[in-house]
């Protein structure tokens, strides 16, 4: 944690495919990518380091989105009523014509209201407030800008407002049926 600088992960510099999917409970990435992310994202099971974890910056269609730790860390309720924190990032081995595929599931959609415009064949994003109202989209690349050809950078933690990871019921994790075939799911 600390200084607030950007760390280029080297991931997706030659392109990646992105699927935004409300039927997926996690962010799914190739296993090679999860190994790189694991160097930067080390979640303590008691959530005590949430404020020190980096924000993921993903460039989609030329606009940079920010996925803070509160979105990709999940608080899972245990049978005794206590909680443990774990990653909301897991693996998927799929390729597209533009490169390895990332599936941006509910952790992404908690941060961004997503509109699927079938007429224009576009996906549009707007910031999501905690009450699900629409916030103006603020291109995260303005605070601060990653290099132009990089699709994934990490922004080291700065003092963030008090945030909590969302509480989830692990029994309700959803993976798209097309993603289950032949893939091994490894959590970060």
């Amino acid at each position: 944690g600390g200084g607030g600088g950007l760390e280029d992960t080297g991931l997706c510099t030659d392109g990646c495919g992105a699927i935004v999917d409300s039927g997926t409970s996690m962010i799914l990435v190739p296993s090679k990518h999860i190994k790189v992310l694991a160097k930067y994202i080390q979640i303590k099971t008691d959530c005590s380091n949430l404020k020190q974890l980096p924000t993921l910056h993903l460039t989609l269609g030329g606009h940079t989105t920010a996925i803070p730790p509160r979105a990709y860390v999940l608080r899972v309720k245990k049978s005794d009523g206590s909680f443990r924190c774990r990653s909301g990032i897991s693996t998927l081995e799929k390729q597209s014509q533009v490169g390895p595929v990332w599936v941006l599931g509910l952790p992404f959609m908690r941060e961004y209201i997503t509109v699927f415009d079938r007429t224009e064949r576009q996906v549009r994003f707007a910031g999501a407030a905690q009450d699900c109202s629409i916030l103006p989209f603020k291109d995260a690349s303005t605070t601060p800008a990653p290099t132009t050809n990089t699709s994934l950078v990490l922004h080291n933690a700065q003092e963030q407002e008090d945030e909590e990871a969302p509480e989830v019921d692990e029994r309700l994790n959803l993976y798209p049926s097309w993603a289950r075939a032949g893939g091994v799911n490894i959590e970060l």
Side-chain angles (χ1 to χ4, degrees), residues 172-188:
L172 301 177
N173 273 351
L174 302 171
Y175 291 90
S177 58
W178 55 264
R180 286 188 213 125
V184 177
N185 287 330
I186 304 168
E187 283 183 25
L188 178 66

Side-chain angles (χ1 to χ4, degrees), residues 22-180:
S22 63
T24 303
S25 299
M26 304 179 93
I27 294 173
L28 303 176
V29 305
S31 57
K32 285 183 183 178
H33 294 190
I34 213 161
K35 289 175 184 172
V36 172
L37 291 173
K39 294 177 191 174
Y40 303 97
I41 300 172
Q42 297 177 7
I43 301 165
K44 293 186 179 179
T45 58
D46 66 358
C47 270
S48 63
N49 68 333
L50 189 66
K51 289 183 182 182
Q52 287 79 43
L53 294 171
T55 295
L56 301 174
H57 289 266
L58 302 170
T59 301
L60 303 168
H63 297 281
T64 302
T65 60
I67 305 173
R70 71 168 179 263
Y72 67 78
V73 174
L74 306 175
R75 286 182 37 208
V76 179
K77 194 171 192 173
K78 299 192 305 189
S79 59
D80 66 2
S82 65
F83 291 91
R84 72 174 176 88
C85 282
R86 70 176 194 75
S87 173
I89 303 172
S90 190
T91 60
L92 170 74
E93 304 302 328
K94 294 287 181 187
Q95 280 290 105
S96 72
Q97 68 273 19
V98 294
V101 172
W102 281 51
V103 177
L104 305 175
L106 295 180
F108 179 83
M109 296 180 88
R110 280 192 281 275
E111 294 297 310
Y112 293 95
I113 292 172
T114 306
V115 176
F116 298 93
D117 184 341
R118 293 181 56 117
T119 304
E120 297 293 323
R121 299 186 60 126
Q122 294 181 342
V123 180
R124 301 173 194 262
F125 305 109
Q130 285 187 341
D131 66 357
C132 294
S133 62
I134 297 173
L135 297 171
F137 183 80
K138 180 180 177 189
D139 191 326
S141 66
T142 61
T143 57
T147 58
T148 55
N149 66 349
T150 301
S151 294
L152 175 66
V153 295
L154 298 174
H155 187 236
N156 294 331
Q158 293 179 331
E159 252 336 282
Q160 300 175 22
E161 69 257 19
D162 283 335
E163 299 176 338
E164 276 198 7
E167 181 182 327
V168 297
D169 185 337
E170 203 165 32
R171 298 168 297 171
L172 301 177
N173 273 351
L174 302 171
Y175 291 90
S177 58
W178 55 264
R180 286 188 213 125

